[in-house]
Structures are given as C-alpha cells and as structure tokens.
Amino acid sequence: MNNITFLIKKICCIGAGYVGGPTMSVIAENCPDINVTLVDLDEKKINDWNNSDLNKLPVYEPGLKNLVEKNRNINLFFTTNLNQSISEADIVFISVNTPTKTNGLGSGYASDLKWVESSARTVAKYASGHTIIVEKSTVPVRTAELIKSILSSSCNISEGNNSKTFSVLSSPEFLAEGTAIKDLENPDRVLIGGEDEYAIEQLSLLYQKWIPKNKIFITNVWSSELSKLTANAFLAQRISSINAMSALCEPTGADIKEVSRAIGADSRIGTKFLNAGPGFGGSCFQKDLLNMIYLSRFYGLEEVANYWEQVILLNEWQKKRISKLIIETFYGTVSLKKIGVLGFAFKSNTNDTRESPSISIVNELLENGASVVIHDPKVSEKQISKFFDNEKIGQSNSNFEGRWRYTSDLNLLFKDADAIIILTEWEDYLHIKWKIMSKLMRKPSWLFDTRGIVEEEKLNGSNINFWRVGKGFIKTT
Ligand code: NAD
Ligand code: UDX
C-alpha cells in the first residue's frame, strides 16, 4: 500500500445536514486542492446553505460560519444537482438520515435505511468511472452489503458502460453536536472499514491532510459499523448511570456533583460524560441503542437486548420524574402557573431539537395546564411550534392555560413566573442575575435547575426556592 498516489480531486457528499455540512466544511478547509460538493434533496436547506446571511445557515455550530464564509463557492459548493455532482466525484460520502423505523418490520427499533438505499441507487445510476462510496451515516451492521448489492446490480445492467466500478467503505462519524468543528479538526480517532486496499489508502490519505496517521484505524467493515453503535451505547449508558445516581443522591443528602468528581478522578472511569441532567436527547443515542437492541434480538441475544434497553427506559424515567417533581412541588396542579423554560435545544451550542428532553418535559407541563414561556438562544419559535399544537393542548384563555409562548426577552419570561426551569446548559444562563430577575417573579417562586449549572451562592438574597438535579431542594439565604 506504500506507493499509492493520492488521486482524489472531487468529493460529493449526499446529505447536507448536521453531519454532512460540518464534515465537508472541514474537508474543504483542509484540502484546498479538492472540490467538495454537498448535495441534498431539500431545496430550502440548500438555499439556506447558500444564503449570503451566514446567520441563516441551517446548522448552528461554533466555528462553522467562518469555514463556510471562507470556502463557499471556492472549493465548497451546495447544490440540489445530485446527478452532476455524483458523476464527477472520485469519492461519494453518504451522510443521509437513518432514523428509527416507524412502521413495518422492526418498527420502533430498527433503523430506516430507505434514504441510504435511495442514495445508493442514485450513485449507481449517475456515477462514472471508479467511485469510492463511504458510509458516513450510522447504519446497522452489514449495511455496506446492501449498498454493494445495489451498486453491483447497477454495474451488471449498466447500459453498455462496463467501466463503472465501485468500492464501498465504512467510515462512521463520531462528532458531537455543539463541538462538531473541534471534533472533526482534532478527532480522537477515525475509522475506515473495508477490504479494497486502494480505496482504504485513498480515504486514509484524504484524512491525513489534517489528521495524524496513528489516529486512523483500519478495520473490517462490520467492526467499523458496530464500533459506532457501541460507542454511542457506552456513552448513553454512562448518562443513564449518572442520572440513576442523581435520583439516589436527592433523598439521601448526597450531591451528584461531588459523587461525579469523586468517581471521575479514578482514571479507569474518567471525568467526561458524568453530568447529571434531564436525560439524554439528540438524534443519535436513542436511535442507535434501539438499533442495537433490534440487532441483538435478531441474533437471538435477548439478554443483551434487555441490558441495553434498560439504558433507554432509565432515560425516559429521568424525564418523567423531573416533570412529575415540578408538578408535585405545586401540590399537583400547575394549571394557573406560569412556567419559564430556559433552553429547548437538546444540549448547548446547537440549534438541534431532535429528541430534546425539553419536548417531553414541556409537554407534560402543558398537559397539566401550565402556561409555558420558552426561551432558547438558537432555536426559533417556528422550530418549537413543530412539537406542540397550541390549538389542541389544554383550554385556551387569557392566561394561556395549557398553552405555550416563545420569547427572546428574558424579562418577559421571568415576569410573573411562578417557576423557572433550566433545561439546556446555555452559557447565557450562567450570567443571569437571580437577585434582580427574581423581583419580576410571582412569590413564592421556584428555580428547577435540571443541568446543575447554577451555583447556590448566586441565589443568595433572591428569595427563590431552589431545586437542583442530583442534590434536591437546597436552602438558600
Ligand atoms: P440530517 O437529517 O441533519 O441530514 C440528513 C440530510 O440528508 C437531510 O438534509 C436530507 O434531506 C438528506 N437526504 C436524505 N436522503 C437523501 C437523498 N436520497 N439524496 C440527497 N439528500 C438526502 O441528519 P444528520 O444528523 O446529519 O445525520 C446523518 C447521519 O449521520 C445519520 O445516520 C446519523 O445517525 C449519523 N450521525 C449523526 C450525528 C449527529 O450528531 N447528528 C453524529 C454522528 C453520526
Ligand atoms: C453523540 C456522541 O457523543 C457522538 O460521538 C456521536 O457521533 C453522535 O451522538 P451528540 O448527541 O451530538 O453526540 O451530543 P452528546 O454530547 O453526546 O450529548 C448527547 C446528550 O447527552 C445530550 O442531550 C447531552 O445534554 C446529554 N449529556 C451529555 C448529559 O446529560 N450529560 C453528559 O455528561 C453528557
């Protein structure tokens, strides 16, 4: 493999979403001699990527705006023209969505591969010469085989064009939203799973433009696919573990922050992913766990499936116990209460709301008749309105009982509020002057900090009742 020349000149990425957009922006930045084209079926999304107002990009990620501004229309392009981009590409990344199936065989567990399959068919149709296909989407084990079978049948039926050939590699993406650019620029490792030495070397040389060679792991395809699911399962398990302990801390007088610090100092455990919270959200953890549970059952491993399913059940329970606790604090009725929600994204530094714990927690409050006002620095009112239907939830009246409002003004959110709930750990919320803002609230007033970001001293003199995840109710002066 030593004397292979790097031949990649044109890259096409199918799927201009949270993975495709940042990943290709980082490739374009580090490979000025390569033309990178992102294609998507969603015309609005492509228009947003091409918007001259960089605040309107469809994905918010720290650092992304700068990369797009610097490279767009130089060696980074966004288009809906799949045919041309695929036919010109030496390498095609498939970075489309693979959500949990909602009907048919495996419904509720298995990943829906219809977008991967349709991408493979499009590649099969329009590719020319030799094309390397890279699975970037997170997929069940053995999906590469599905892609290969689609591509090889196209080779056989290609209309007189026998020169069309393909290699399929797996190279799952490990970026986390909110730190995507940092993760892509400096990954812990990159996986390349495959058999074709030439294709592996080309992809490896591409990554080596900015990633040290010792961080590029070559594996077989199935190990690569399964490593991705396993990494997410382990991370999610860690959050369910710390959230389980947060619930045990609250009645016993322990503090989850102290427990996290104590166990994290053990180098075998490590310090990361030990923040208790309202439950994990995001488009990956639950979907990938469900997928692994499905695979385990498929292979007859019921105990393995049950083991991983518990991680999801605990996560659901954590969200439920928090909304229940808030409602019970108001003696079981929040119907004439105004509740201010700080944060709707599933974590800070992203505008992504998929599977955000805020969705189910706000929904419970609305169903119990609360009047909810929501603030988020990066999530729009339109985005939030996809989750709740004001006309259907609760009874409408002037107190907007059982309904929700959006505001970008924290003064309006605090005004006459009975309770504030922090659901996303945005930095903006660290700077809230509780002593001043509490004067706007109706007394007695409450703060529920589900992210553990407010220091107790900051509430001194505020006269707010305080609850923090993993500590419980805290007396403030
Ligand atoms: P996304 O929904 O943000 O983006 C996917 C895009 O693919 C959409 O814009 C959709 O319109 C487009 N698309 C679907 N089918 C298409 C087709 N046939 N042709 C052209 N475009 C098509 O999804 P995402 O969050 O970027 O995730 C993509 C994949 O990466 C998933 O498999 C996910 O599990 C995986 N992943 C996601 C993350 C993350 O943090 N979001 C991290 C690692 C891996
Ligand atoms: C995750 C994986 O981290 C990433 O490697 C993979 O590629 C995609 O899935 P992501 O979902 O974007 O990334 O964010 P992550 O930082 O993992 O957070 C997931 C959820 O866990 C969020 O809701 C976050 O708030 C929560 N979380 C995370 C905690 O509650 N506590 C923690 O200590 C860490």
mmCIF file of all heavy atoms in Angstrom, residues 246-290:
data_model
loop_
_atom_site.group_PDB
_atom_site.id
_atom_site.type_symbol
_atom_site.label_atom_id
_atom_site.label_comp_id
_atom_site.label_asym_id
_atom_site.label_seq_id
_atom_site.Cartn_x
_atom_site.Cartn_y
_atom_site.Cartn_z
ATOM 1 N N SER A 246 -28.195 10.291 40.291
ATOM 2 C CA SER A 246 -28.718 11.619 40.690
ATOM 3 C C SER A 246 -30.002 11.425 41.491
ATOM 4 O O SER A 246 -30.241 12.113 42.487
ATOM 5 C CB SER A 246 -28.959 12.512 39.474
ATOM 6 O OG SER A 246 -30.137 12.143 38.777
ATOM 7 N N ALA A 247 -30.815 10.463 41.053
ATOM 8 C CA ALA A 247 -32.085 10.218 41.756
ATOM 9 C C ALA A 247 -31.818 9.661 43.155
ATOM 10 O O ALA A 247 -32.557 9.950 44.094
ATOM 11 C CB ALA A 247 -32.935 9.240 40.947
ATOM 12 N N LEU A 248 -30.756 8.880 43.294
ATOM 13 C CA LEU A 248 -30.434 8.311 44.606
ATOM 14 C C LEU A 248 -29.792 9.360 45.524
ATOM 15 O O LEU A 248 -29.959 9.320 46.740
ATOM 16 C CB LEU A 248 -29.500 7.105 44.407
ATOM 17 C CG LEU A 248 -29.287 6.186 45.597
ATOM 18 C CD1 LEU A 248 -30.606 5.680 46.159
ATOM 19 C CD2 LEU A 248 -28.417 4.999 45.189
ATOM 20 N N CYS A 249 -29.074 10.299 44.921
ATOM 21 C CA CYS A 249 -28.456 11.368 45.722
ATOM 22 C C CYS A 249 -29.526 12.223 46.403
ATOM 23 O O CYS A 249 -29.374 12.615 47.565
ATOM 24 C CB CYS A 249 -27.609 12.292 44.832
ATOM 25 S SG CYS A 249 -26.026 11.596 44.384
ATOM 26 N N GLU A 250 -30.583 12.552 45.645
ATOM 27 C CA GLU A 250 -31.554 13.540 46.140
ATOM 28 C C GLU A 250 -32.173 13.180 47.493
ATOM 29 O O GLU A 250 -32.178 14.010 48.399
ATOM 30 C CB GLU A 250 -32.609 13.822 45.066
ATOM 31 C CG GLU A 250 -32.016 14.622 43.908
ATOM 32 C CD GLU A 250 -32.838 14.555 42.627
ATOM 33 O OE1 GLU A 250 -34.060 14.304 42.708
ATOM 34 O OE2 GLU A 250 -32.260 14.739 41.537
ATOM 35 N N PRO A 251 -32.678 11.961 47.705
ATOM 36 C CA PRO A 251 -33.263 11.674 49.029
ATOM 37 C C PRO A 251 -32.227 11.347 50.102
ATOM 38 O O PRO A 251 -32.558 11.342 51.279
ATOM 39 C CB PRO A 251 -34.150 10.449 48.761
ATOM 40 C CG PRO A 251 -33.519 9.777 47.596
ATOM 41 C CD PRO A 251 -32.885 10.851 46.775
ATOM 42 N N THR A 252 -30.979 11.068 49.697
ATOM 43 C CA THR A 252 -30.007 10.613 50.707
ATOM 44 C C THR A 252 -29.139 11.743 51.238
ATOM 45 O O THR A 252 -28.386 11.549 52.192
ATOM 46 C CB THR A 252 -29.054 9.545 50.104
ATOM 47 O OG1 THR A 252 -28.460 10.108 48.926
ATOM 48 C CG2 THR A 252 -29.755 8.260 49.770
ATOM 49 N N GLY A 253 -29.195 12.904 50.602
ATOM 50 C CA GLY A 253 -28.357 14.020 51.074
ATOM 51 C C GLY A 253 -26.998 14.061 50.394
ATOM 52 O O GLY A 253 -26.175 14.922 50.679
ATOM 53 N N ALA A 254 -26.756 13.144 49.463
ATOM 54 C CA ALA A 254 -25.505 13.220 48.690
ATOM 55 C C ALA A 254 -25.693 14.250 47.580
ATOM 56 O O ALA A 254 -26.818 14.664 47.283
ATOM 57 C CB ALA A 254 -25.186 11.852 48.107
ATOM 58 N N ASP A 255 -24.585 14.660 46.989
ATOM 59 C CA ASP A 255 -24.636 15.649 45.902
ATOM 60 C C ASP A 255 -23.981 15.017 44.673
ATOM 61 O O ASP A 255 -22.808 14.646 44.717
ATOM 62 C CB ASP A 255 -23.874 16.909 46.348
ATOM 63 C CG ASP A 255 -23.913 18.010 45.302
ATOM 64 O OD1 ASP A 255 -24.185 17.703 44.124
ATOM 65 O OD2 ASP A 255 -23.641 19.171 45.665
ATOM 66 N N ILE A 256 -24.722 14.918 43.586
ATOM 67 C CA ILE A 256 -24.200 14.217 42.406
ATOM 68 C C ILE A 256 -22.928 14.863 41.874
ATOM 69 O O ILE A 256 -22.058 14.184 41.329
ATOM 70 C CB ILE A 256 -25.276 14.112 41.280
ATOM 71 C CG1 ILE A 256 -24.895 13.049 40.246
ATOM 72 C CG2 ILE A 256 -25.481 15.439 40.583
ATOM 73 C CD1 ILE A 256 -24.861 11.656 40.717
ATOM 74 N N LYS A 257 -22.778 16.174 42.069
ATOM 75 C CA LYS A 257 -21.551 16.829 41.588
ATOM 76 C C LYS A 257 -20.336 16.307 42.352
ATOM 77 O O LYS A 257 -19.276 16.079 41.768
ATOM 78 C CB LYS A 257 -21.649 18.341 41.779
ATOM 79 C CG LYS A 257 -22.460 19.019 40.687
ATOM 80 C CD LYS A 257 -22.558 20.496 40.977
ATOM 81 C CE LYS A 257 -23.352 21.203 39.935
ATOM 82 N NZ LYS A 257 -22.593 21.614 38.783
ATOM 83 N N GLU A 258 -20.517 16.131 43.652
ATOM 84 C CA GLU A 258 -19.400 15.616 44.457
ATOM 85 C C GLU A 258 -19.126 14.149 44.107
ATOM 86 O O GLU A 258 -17.980 13.726 44.022
ATOM 87 C CB GLU A 258 -19.727 15.775 45.952
ATOM 88 C CG GLU A 258 -19.761 17.242 46.351
ATOM 89 C CD GLU A 258 -20.171 17.491 47.805
ATOM 90 O OE1 GLU A 258 -20.536 16.515 48.520
ATOM 91 O OE2 GLU A 258 -20.129 18.649 48.220
ATOM 92 N N VAL A 259 -20.208 13.409 43.874
ATOM 93 C CA VAL A 259 -20.034 11.989 43.515
ATOM 94 C C VAL A 259 -19.330 11.888 42.149
ATOM 95 O O VAL A 259 -18.386 11.115 41.972
ATOM 96 C CB VAL A 259 -21.402 11.265 43.492
ATOM 97 C CG1 VAL A 259 -21.260 9.841 42.960
ATOM 98 C CG2 VAL A 259 -22.030 11.255 44.887
ATOM 99 N N SER A 260 -19.765 12.709 41.175
ATOM 100 C CA SER A 260 -19.151 12.692 39.835
ATOM 101 C C SER A 260 -17.670 13.006 39.934
ATOM 102 O O SER A 260 -16.834 12.362 39.295
ATOM 103 C CB SER A 260 -19.782 13.739 38.925
ATOM 104 O OG SER A 260 -21.099 13.402 38.653
ATOM 105 N N ARG A 261 -17.355 14.006 40.740
ATOM 106 C CA ARG A 261 -15.955 14.408 40.870
ATOM 107 C C ARG A 261 -15.135 13.272 41.479
ATOM 108 O O ARG A 261 -14.026 12.960 41.018
ATOM 109 C CB ARG A 261 -15.894 15.663 41.748
ATOM 110 C CG ARG A 261 -14.533 16.242 41.854
ATOM 111 C CD ARG A 261 -14.565 17.707 42.243
ATOM 112 N NE ARG A 261 -13.215 18.139 42.544
ATOM 113 C CZ ARG A 261 -12.775 18.442 43.749
ATOM 114 N NH1 ARG A 261 -13.592 18.406 44.780
ATOM 115 N NH2 ARG A 261 -11.525 18.792 43.928
ATOM 116 N N ALA A 262 -15.726 12.651 42.500
ATOM 117 C CA ALA A 262 -15.002 11.580 43.193
ATOM 118 C C ALA A 262 -14.771 10.375 42.276
ATOM 119 O O ALA A 262 -13.658 9.850 42.198
ATOM 120 C CB ALA A 262 -15.783 11.157 44.436
ATOM 121 N N ILE A 263 -15.808 9.976 41.535
ATOM 122 C CA ILE A 263 -15.605 8.773 40.703
ATOM 123 C C ILE A 263 -14.791 9.108 39.454
ATOM 124 O O ILE A 263 -14.014 8.310 38.965
ATOM 125 C CB ILE A 263 -16.939 8.074 40.333
ATOM 126 C CG1 ILE A 263 -17.842 8.957 39.475
ATOM 127 C CG2 ILE A 263 -17.675 7.589 41.576
ATOM 128 C CD1 ILE A 263 -18.978 8.197 38.831
ATOM 129 N N GLY A 264 -14.959 10.360 38.941
ATOM 130 C CA GLY A 264 -14.235 10.760 37.725
ATOM 131 C C GLY A 264 -12.734 10.834 37.937
ATOM 132 O O GLY A 264 -11.954 10.727 36.990
ATOM 133 N N ALA A 265 -12.318 11.015 39.189
ATOM 134 C CA ALA A 265 -10.880 11.090 39.473
ATOM 135 C C ALA A 265 -10.208 9.720 39.336
ATOM 136 O O ALA A 265 -8.990 9.618 39.233
ATOM 137 C CB ALA A 265 -10.668 11.633 40.881
ATOM 138 N N ASP A 266 -11.010 8.682 39.331
ATOM 139 C CA ASP A 266 -10.484 7.328 39.084
ATOM 140 C C ASP A 266 -10.171 7.248 37.594
ATOM 141 O O ASP A 266 -11.080 7.336 36.759
ATOM 142 C CB ASP A 266 -11.567 6.307 39.471
ATOM 143 C CG ASP A 266 -11.071 4.875 39.379
ATOM 144 O OD1 ASP A 266 -10.238 4.596 38.489
ATOM 145 O OD2 ASP A 266 -11.523 4.049 40.185
ATOM 146 N N SER A 267 -8.894 7.086 37.270
ATOM 147 C CA SER A 267 -8.524 7.164 35.845
ATOM 148 C C SER A 267 -9.197 6.058 35.026
ATOM 149 O O SER A 267 -9.340 6.184 33.813
ATOM 150 C CB SER A 267 -7.006 7.132 35.678
ATOM 151 O OG SER A 267 -6.516 5.940 36.242
ATOM 152 N N ARG A 268 -9.639 4.997 35.694
ATOM 153 C CA ARG A 268 -10.338 3.953 34.923
ATOM 154 C C ARG A 268 -11.725 4.421 34.520
ATOM 155 O O ARG A 268 -12.290 3.965 33.532
ATOM 156 C CB ARG A 268 -10.458 2.666 35.755
ATOM 157 C CG ARG A 268 -9.122 2.007 36.029
ATOM 158 C CD ARG A 268 -9.273 0.956 37.085
ATOM 159 N NE ARG A 268 -9.823 1.504 38.321
ATOM 160 C CZ ARG A 268 -10.164 0.774 39.373
ATOM 161 N NH1 ARG A 268 -10.025 -0.531 39.335
ATOM 162 N NH2 ARG A 268 -10.639 1.343 40.458
ATOM 163 N N ILE A 269 -12.289 5.355 35.284
ATOM 164 C CA ILE A 269 -13.632 5.857 34.957
ATOM 165 C C ILE A 269 -13.527 7.118 34.087
ATOM 166 O O ILE A 269 -14.161 7.213 33.054
ATOM 167 C CB ILE A 269 -14.444 6.122 36.252
ATOM 168 C CG1 ILE A 269 -14.692 4.799 36.971
ATOM 169 C CG2 ILE A 269 -15.779 6.804 35.928
ATOM 170 C CD1 ILE A 269 -15.389 4.911 38.317
ATOM 171 N N GLY A 270 -12.694 8.074 34.487
ATOM 172 C CA GLY A 270 -12.506 9.304 33.702
ATOM 173 C C GLY A 270 -13.578 10.340 34.002
ATOM 174 O O GLY A 270 -14.650 10.020 34.517
ATOM 175 N N THR A 271 -13.274 11.594 33.649
ATOM 176 C CA THR A 271 -14.129 12.709 34.094
ATOM 177 C C THR A 271 -15.277 13.048 33.156
ATOM 178 O O THR A 271 -16.216 13.730 33.546
ATOM 179 C CB THR A 271 -13.277 13.985 34.247
ATOM 180 O OG1 THR A 271 -12.572 14.167 33.019
ATOM 181 C CG2 THR A 271 -12.301 13.882 35.395
ATOM 182 N N LYS A 272 -15.201 12.592 31.886
ATOM 183 C CA LYS A 272 -16.197 13.078 30.926
ATOM 184 C C LYS A 272 -17.525 12.317 31.007
ATOM 185 O O LYS A 272 -17.572 11.194 31.464
ATOM 186 C CB LYS A 272 -15.630 12.975 29.517
ATOM 187 C CG LYS A 272 -14.463 13.930 29.341
ATOM 188 C CD LYS A 272 -13.907 13.892 27.953
ATOM 189 C CE LYS A 272 -12.746 14.871 27.853
ATOM 190 N NZ LYS A 272 -11.861 14.522 26.751
ATOM 191 N N PHE A 273 -18.581 13.000 30.522
ATOM 192 C CA PHE A 273 -19.903 12.377 30.458
ATOM 193 C C PHE A 273 -20.409 11.925 31.817
ATOM 194 O O PHE A 273 -21.018 10.863 31.954
ATOM 195 C CB PHE A 273 -19.895 11.214 29.453
ATOM 196 C CG PHE A 273 -20.381 11.658 28.102
ATOM 197 C CD1 PHE A 273 -19.645 12.538 27.355
ATOM 198 C CD2 PHE A 273 -21.601 11.225 27.601
ATOM 199 C CE1 PHE A 273 -20.100 12.991 26.129
ATOM 200 C CE2 PHE A 273 -22.070 11.661 26.379
ATOM 201 C CZ PHE A 273 -21.312 12.553 25.640
ATOM 202 N N LEU A 274 -20.157 12.754 32.821
ATOM 203 C CA LEU A 274 -20.665 12.441 34.164
ATOM 204 C C LEU A 274 -21.566 13.550 34.678
ATOM 205 O O LEU A 274 -21.738 13.697 35.889
ATOM 206 C CB LEU A 274 -19.490 12.210 35.132
ATOM 207 C CG LEU A 274 -18.707 10.909 34.944
ATOM 208 C CD1 LEU A 274 -17.558 10.817 35.946
ATOM 209 C CD2 LEU A 274 -19.610 9.683 35.089
ATOM 210 N N ASN A 275 -22.117 14.368 33.765
ATOM 211 C CA ASN A 275 -23.029 15.427 34.201
ATOM 212 C C ASN A 275 -24.455 14.894 34.225
ATOM 213 O O ASN A 275 -25.005 14.524 33.185
ATOM 214 C CB ASN A 275 -22.973 16.628 33.249
ATOM 215 C CG ASN A 275 -21.640 17.332 33.316
ATOM 216 O OD1 ASN A 275 -21.051 17.444 34.393
ATOM 217 N ND2 ASN A 275 -21.143 17.777 32.177
ATOM 218 N N ALA A 276 -25.037 14.899 35.427
ATOM 219 C CA ALA A 276 -26.452 14.508 35.517
ATOM 220 C C ALA A 276 -27.286 15.570 34.811
ATOM 221 O O ALA A 276 -26.890 16.736 34.728
ATOM 222 C CB ALA A 276 -26.856 14.397 36.975
ATOM 223 N N GLY A 277 -28.417 15.180 34.271
ATOM 224 C CA GLY A 277 -29.249 16.136 33.542
ATOM 225 C C GLY A 277 -30.678 15.645 33.417
ATOM 226 O O GLY A 277 -31.084 14.705 34.117
ATOM 227 N N PRO A 278 -31.415 16.257 32.482
ATOM 228 C CA PRO A 278 -32.830 15.870 32.336
ATOM 229 C C PRO A 278 -33.009 14.625 31.466
ATOM 230 O O PRO A 278 -34.128 14.294 31.088
ATOM 231 C CB PRO A 278 -33.434 17.100 31.638
ATOM 232 C CG PRO A 278 -32.297 17.678 30.855
ATOM 233 C CD PRO A 278 -31.045 17.389 31.621
ATOM 234 N N GLY A 279 -31.908 13.946 31.139
ATOM 235 C CA GLY A 279 -31.977 12.787 30.235
ATOM 236 C C GLY A 279 -31.306 13.153 28.934
ATOM 237 O O GLY A 279 -31.293 14.319 28.541
ATOM 238 N N PHE A 280 -30.726 12.153 28.280
ATOM 239 C CA PHE A 280 -30.050 12.472 27.011
ATOM 240 C C PHE A 280 -31.068 12.673 25.897
ATOM 241 O O PHE A 280 -32.127 12.067 25.878
ATOM 242 C CB PHE A 280 -29.013 11.411 26.628
ATOM 243 C CG PHE A 280 -29.533 9.997 26.496
ATOM 244 C CD1 PHE A 280 -30.277 9.599 25.390
ATOM 245 C CD2 PHE A 280 -29.230 9.044 27.463
ATOM 246 C CE1 PHE A 280 -30.732 8.286 25.256
ATOM 247 C CE2 PHE A 280 -29.674 7.723 27.340
ATOM 248 C CZ PHE A 280 -30.433 7.352 26.237
ATOM 249 N N GLY A 281 -30.710 13.587 24.980
ATOM 250 C CA GLY A 281 -31.513 13.801 23.783
ATOM 251 C C GLY A 281 -30.607 13.687 22.577
ATOM 252 O O GLY A 281 -29.546 13.079 22.637
ATOM 253 N N GLY A 282 -31.043 14.294 21.474
ATOM 254 C CA GLY A 282 -30.240 14.246 20.249
ATOM 255 C C GLY A 282 -30.708 13.131 19.344
ATOM 256 O O GLY A 282 -31.425 12.216 19.771
ATOM 257 N N SER A 283 -30.265 13.195 18.105
ATOM 258 C CA SER A 283 -30.796 12.268 17.109
ATOM 259 C C SER A 283 -30.115 10.910 17.157
ATOM 260 O O SER A 283 -30.506 9.997 16.436
ATOM 261 C CB SER A 283 -30.616 12.867 15.710
ATOM 262 O OG SER A 283 -29.237 13.007 15.438
ATOM 263 N N CYS A 284 -29.069 10.761 17.984
ATOM 264 C CA CYS A 284 -28.254 9.538 17.864
ATOM 265 C C CYS A 284 -28.448 8.500 18.964
ATOM 266 O O CYS A 284 -28.659 7.327 18.650
ATOM 267 C CB CYS A 284 -26.788 9.918 17.794
ATOM 268 S SG CYS A 284 -26.399 10.831 16.303
ATOM 269 N N PHE A 285 -28.339 8.909 20.233
ATOM 270 C CA PHE A 285 -28.239 7.900 21.291
ATOM 271 C C PHE A 285 -29.410 6.918 21.287
ATOM 272 O O PHE A 285 -29.225 5.703 21.242
ATOM 273 C CB PHE A 285 -28.116 8.566 22.661
ATOM 274 C CG PHE A 285 -26.739 9.090 22.966
ATOM 275 C CD1 PHE A 285 -26.499 9.874 24.079
ATOM 276 C CD2 PHE A 285 -25.665 8.789 22.140
ATOM 277 C CE1 PHE A 285 -25.229 10.352 24.365
ATOM 278 C CE2 PHE A 285 -24.384 9.261 22.406
ATOM 279 C CZ PHE A 285 -24.177 10.049 23.529
ATOM 280 N N GLN A 286 -30.621 7.460 21.328
ATOM 281 C CA GLN A 286 -31.772 6.562 21.409
ATOM 282 C C GLN A 286 -31.894 5.715 20.140
ATOM 283 O O GLN A 286 -32.083 4.506 20.197
ATOM 284 C CB GLN A 286 -33.044 7.376 21.635
ATOM 285 C CG GLN A 286 -34.269 6.498 21.646
ATOM 286 C CD GLN A 286 -35.475 7.225 22.182
ATOM 287 O OE1 GLN A 286 -35.477 7.725 23.295
ATOM 288 N NE2 GLN A 286 -36.516 7.294 21.381
ATOM 289 N N LYS A 287 -31.744 6.370 19.008
ATOM 290 C CA LYS A 287 -31.876 5.657 17.725
ATOM 291 C C LYS A 287 -30.836 4.525 17.622
ATOM 292 O O LYS A 287 -31.170 3.408 17.225
ATOM 293 C CB LYS A 287 -31.671 6.661 16.590
ATOM 294 C CG LYS A 287 -31.306 6.057 15.256
ATOM 295 C CD LYS A 287 -31.185 7.113 14.185
ATOM 296 C CE LYS A 287 -29.864 7.817 14.126
ATOM 297 N NZ LYS A 287 -28.765 7.028 13.567
ATOM 298 N N ASP A 288 -29.599 4.828 17.996
ATOM 299 C CA ASP A 288 -28.550 3.819 17.827
ATOM 300 C C ASP A 288 -28.693 2.694 18.856
ATOM 301 O O ASP A 288 -28.420 1.529 18.557
ATOM 302 C CB ASP A 288 -27.168 4.479 17.883
ATOM 303 C CG ASP A 288 -26.961 5.420 16.693
ATOM 304 O OD1 ASP A 288 -27.755 5.341 15.736
ATOM 305 O OD2 ASP A 288 -26.026 6.231 16.722
ATOM 306 N N LEU A 289 -29.155 3.045 20.048
ATOM 307 C CA LEU A 289 -29.415 1.991 21.046
ATOM 308 C C LEU A 289 -30.547 1.079 20.566
ATOM 309 O O LEU A 289 -30.442 -0.149 20.642
ATOM 310 C CB LEU A 289 -29.815 2.625 22.376
ATOM 311 C CG LEU A 289 -28.678 3.002 23.324
ATOM 312 C CD1 LEU A 289 -29.181 3.935 24.404
ATOM 313 C CD2 LEU A 289 -28.073 1.755 23.964
ATOM 314 N N LEU A 290 -31.626 1.699 20.078
ATOM 315 C CA LEU A 290 -32.767 0.897 19.610
ATOM 316 C C LEU A 290 -32.323 -0.042 18.494
ATOM 317 O O LEU A 290 -32.716 -1.215 18.436
ATOM 318 C CB LEU A 290 -33.892 1.815 19.110
ATOM 319 C CG LEU A 290 -34.667 2.557 20.206
ATOM 320 C CD1 LEU A 290 -35.552 3.644 19.602
ATOM 321 C CD2 LEU A 290 -35.527 1.582 21.025
#
